[in-house]
């Protein structure tokens, strides 16, 4: 069995026992694919991990940068207690349309506030509105902008908040300082900024599974 087939089989085994994907989640993936959206949503076990992180943190407010079809939005929204809120930012109108339908089907229309527009335009508006502080920020959008997203995340959080950055390993390409891939350079700068930021303590976890070889960074705001 190839390495990728093994990773996928292991995901399938644990997901069958531990991850509850109901019709709303399954339809979110199906309808996103039918609408021609890229299949970049988190894997089922990664969605469950985001849900658990939010619940362990006791999050009442979540900021998601990058909605896509709303799959991770549903996982995060379901982690919130009554009265909780989730603001999700999406630049693409087609993605936003699909996500709104998926979120509504999951019964989270009153919980999720989807903002259409480039995140670097909508993030300043959140600051102006006094929308923060958020207990959890999930960064999963265009990687070249990750350094800027981190700066805004710090303005919209407080000590005790958690910041998660997805897709940071990029099949190992992150180790190449001379990469001409702007996504790799964005992740490297993002990581360097975290390392230099005294208000953050963080680690990165490599992952393998149905989505291949990648990883995520988990950071805690401490000051």
């Amino acid at each position: 069995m190839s390495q990728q087939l093994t990773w996928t089989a292991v995901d399938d085994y644990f997901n069958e026992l531990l991850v509850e994907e109901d019709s709303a989640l399954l339809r979110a993936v199906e309808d996103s694919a039918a609408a021609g959206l890229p299949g970049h949503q988190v894997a089922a076990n990664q969605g469950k991990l985001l849900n658990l992180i939010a619940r362990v943190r006791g999050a009442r407010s979540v900021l998601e940068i990058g909605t896509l079809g709303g799959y991770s939005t549903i996982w995060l929204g379901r982690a919130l207690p009554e009265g909780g809120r989730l603001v999700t930012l999406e630049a693409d109108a087609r993605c936003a349309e699909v996500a709104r339908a998926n979120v509504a089907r999951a019964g989270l229309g009153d919980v999720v506030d989807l903002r259409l527009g480039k995140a670097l335009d909508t993030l300043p508006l959140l600051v102006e509105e006094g929308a923060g502080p958020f207990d959890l920020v999930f960064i999963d959008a265009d990687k070249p902008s990750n350094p800027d997203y981190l700066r805004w995340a710090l303005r919209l959080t407080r000590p005790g908040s958690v910041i998660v950055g997805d897709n940071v390993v990029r099949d190992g390409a992150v180790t190449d300082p001379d990469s001409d891939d702007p996504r790799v350079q964005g992740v490297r700068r993002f990581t360097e900024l975290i390392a230099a930021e005294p208000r953050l303590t963080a680690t990165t976890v490599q992952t393998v599974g149905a989505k291949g070889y990648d990883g995520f960074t988990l950071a805690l705001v401490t000051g």
Side-chain angles (χ1 to χ4, degrees):
M1 182 180 291
S2 73
Q3 194 170 54
Q4 180 59 61
L5 287 175
T6 299
W7 295 342
T8 301
V10 172
D11 263 5
D12 290 344
Y13 169 75
F14 284 110
N15 287 348
E16 184 176 349
L17 291 171
L18 302 175
V19 179
E20 310 86 13
E21 262 194 312
D22 65 5
S23 61
L25 287 164
L26 294 171
R27 282 286 304 277
V29 175
E30 293 168 1
D31 288 2
S32 295
L37 274 56
H40 294 163
Q41 70 274 353
V42 299
N45 53 355
Q46 295 165 343
K48 180 67 176 288
L49 177 62
L50 289 172
N51 179 280
L52 291 175
I53 290 172
R55 290 164 65 183
V56 169
R57 169 59 186 81
R60 296 187 59 85
S61 58
V62 173
L63 171 62
E64 179 182 48
I65 303 176
T67 315
L68 195 59
Y71 182 78
S72 56
T73 314
I74 295 171
W75 276 112
L76 287 165
R78 287 178 168 175
L80 296 175
E82 184 176 355
R85 64 192 180 96
L86 189 158
V87 177
T88 184
L89 311 179
E90 177 53 51
D92 185 273
R94 181 58 175 153
C95 290
E97 178 185 4
V98 173
R100 283 195 177 99
N102 287 333
V103 165
R105 184 189 299 117
L108 295 169
D110 294 334
V111 175
V112 175
D113 177 5
L114 194 158
R115 307 285 184 100
L116 176 61
K118 293 183 178 179
L120 292 181
D121 294 331
T122 51
L123 285 164
L125 297 177
L126 291 178
V127 173
E128 291 176 12
E129 293 171 13
F134 292 93
D135 299 317
L136 171 62
V137 178
F138 179 45
I139 302 174
D140 190 17
D142 60 307
K143 307 312 171 196
S145 297
N146 266 17
D148 293 315
Y149 296 152
L150 178 65
R151 295 184 184 98
W152 284 108
L154 284 168
R155 294 187 63 177
L156 287 160
T157 51
R158 60 187 166 193
S161 296
V162 174
I163 299 171
V164 180
D166 201 15
N167 306 127
V168 298
V169 173
R170 311 205 64 80
D171 204 28
V174 70
T175 62
D176 181 6
D178 301 317
S179 173
D180 59 3
D181 187 335
R183 297 168 297 181
V184 171
Q185 292 300 335
V187 168
R188 287 179 61 87
R189 182 61 182 149
F190 171 76
T191 308
E192 292 160 2
L193 288 172
I194 291 175
E197 176 53 64
R199 291 172 291 174
L200 292 174
T201 182
T203 191
T204 293
V205 177
Q206 299 182 72
T207 60
V208 296
K211 292 282 186 175
Y213 172 36
D214 214 321
F216 64 92
T217 294
L218 179 69
L220 175 67
V221 181
T222 59

